[in-house]
Amino acid sequence: RTLVLRRTRTVNMHAVAANASVRPACRAARPRLSSRGAFGRAVRVPAHFARSASARVLETRAVFAAVVEPATKVTFPDTYSTHDNTAVMKCLGAGVRQKKIAIINVKVYAVAMYADAVQCASALEGGSSLLDGKFHKALLVQLVRNVDGKTFWEALDEALVPRIREIATNMATAEDAQGNFMATVAEAAEVAEERAMEAMDELRDLFGGANLKKDSRVLINWKPGNDSDKTVTGFEGKLEIGVVGADATVELTSMELARALFDVYLGDAPVSPDAKAAFEAGAAKLS
């Protein structure tokens, strides 16, 4: 909702938040600047994702709508503006990632999916899926228990490597309209797999040294670019991954890795079926 003030352009959010139903952890803060990567180079972290105990004074337009993940009660902002102010990302829904330890399912993190609402609705109307559609999309992960960076990386590596290899195999064995094997495509698939695995090394370095703990947030931002017949997605693009509020971040161009990463949550065997169902339900409401 929009607050209209006659004599001033800003409002102290402490007074407003007292009557709001949003959990304190999600009150908006002034954007933080990090030193490099997706959240660096004079790029602002979305205000909704930055945290600070200091007083907050924001512009008069404030968003109080929120999406609550039911199993963990983690609250995600309903929308946020991209750091270059080119789009408003809409939360499609949220779910929980659980890991079975012995015979007990342990909640590890909550995850929300965001998308450029206009682009997403257009892609879905054209027959694309949330995974394959060419639109700006992002995943926001919030830990609900202490997980060190090395453990987080190992779980990610376990999920991504087989998906990358499957993507490369499917690319390499593609046939032309007459059913003939295409050597050039097979060579391109090998190059794509190597590029994806090199990008994995950057992720390992990122999370291996990350100071993750309960309530840490990881933002995975996938923005498509020009069309291309050399990638599994059919377009080029940029994949930004970083720990919110920290300097550590990486910027990657492997669309095979990007697809594998989003396949973890949107593919045929998602790590959280409930999250995928929530994302799809939210996307259906866009049209």
Side-chain angles (χ1 to χ4, degrees):
R1 62 189 176 187
T2 303
L3 306 179
V4 180
L5 302 183
R6 296 177 180 272
R7 297 182 179 179
T8 178
R9 295 181 58 81
T10 60
V11 59
N12 190 309
M13 295 302 293
H14 285 297
V16 178
N19 296 319
S21 59
V22 179
R23 291 174 56 182
C26 291
R27 290 178 298 181
R30 284 197 301 266
R32 295 177 181 174
L33 292 178
S34 60
S35 61
R36 63 181 187 277
F39 308 139
R41 302 191 188 100
V43 170
R44 294 182 181 276
V45 176
H48 297 292
F49 302 152
R51 295 186 176 189
S52 173
S54 61
R56 302 172 176 89
V57 178
L58 302 181
E59 292 297 322
T60 56
R61 181 174 296 274
V63 177
F64 291 112
V67 174
V68 179
E69 195 292 303
T72 61
K73 309 304 180 187
V74 171
T75 303
F76 295 96
D78 183 59
T79 63
Y80 77 87
S81 297
T82 55
H83 52 228
D84 55 4
N85 292 318
T86 59
V88 175
M89 302 292 280
K90 168 73 175 175
C91 184
L92 302 183
V96 62
R97 169 65 167 123
Q98 300 188 74
K99 186 80 171 178
K100 179 167 284 188
I101 299 178
I103 60 173
I104 302 175
N105 283 327
V106 178
K107 300 180 184 70
V108 182
Y109 59 77
V111 56
M113 180 177 178
Y114 290 82
D116 181 309
V118 175
Q119 292 179 0
C120 180
S122 177
L124 296 180
E125 288 174 1
S128 296
S129 67
L130 286 178
L131 175 60
D132 295 321
K134 183 184 177 182
F135 59 89
H136 191 174
K137 64 194 78 171
L139 294 167
L140 181 62
V141 173
Q142 179 167 329
L143 299 178
V144 295
R145 62 189 301 108
N146 291 326
V147 178
D148 61 66
K150 181 175 179 293
T151 301
F152 187 88
W153 157 248
E154 290 173 348
L156 199 59
D157 180 71
E158 181 181 352
L160 288 177
V161 169
R163 285 175 166 84
I164 291 173
R165 289 174 177 166
E166 180 180 5
I167 288 171
T169 299
N170 291 339
M171 290 177 64
T173 56
E175 300 175 343
D176 62 19
Q178 288 72 43
N180 299 316
F181 175 76
M182 298 181 289
T184 55
V185 173
E187 293 174 0
E190 184 177 355
V191 172
E193 182 178 8
E194 291 176 354
R195 185 170 61 243
M197 297 309 294
E198 290 173 356
M200 286 283 286
D201 290 339
E202 293 193 54
L203 288 185
R204 182 192 60 229
D205 294 341
L206 169 68
F207 290 113
N211 181 27
L212 299 182
K213 55 187 177 181
K214 183 180 178 182
D215 293 332
S216 290
R217 287 187 166 187
V218 176
L219 182 61
I220 303 168
N221 188 45
W222 184 10
K223 190 172 183 178
N226 297 327
D227 291 342
S228 172
D229 59 1
K230 297 180 181 180
T231 67
V232 67
T233 58
F235 55 82
E236 298 174 344
K238 181 170 60 176
L239 180 67
E240 301 168 324
I241 305 175
V243 179
V244 176
D247 291 341
T249 184
V250 294
E251 184 177 302
L252 308 169
T253 58
S254 170
M255 294 299 93
E256 290 68 36
L257 174 58
R259 191 188 190 284
L261 188 48
F262 277 76
D263 183 82
V264 172
Y265 300 95
L266 300 172
D268 295 332
V271 296
S272 174
D274 290 343
K276 180 182 177 182
F279 302 159
E280 290 175 338
K285 298 176 182 178
L286 297 177
S287 57

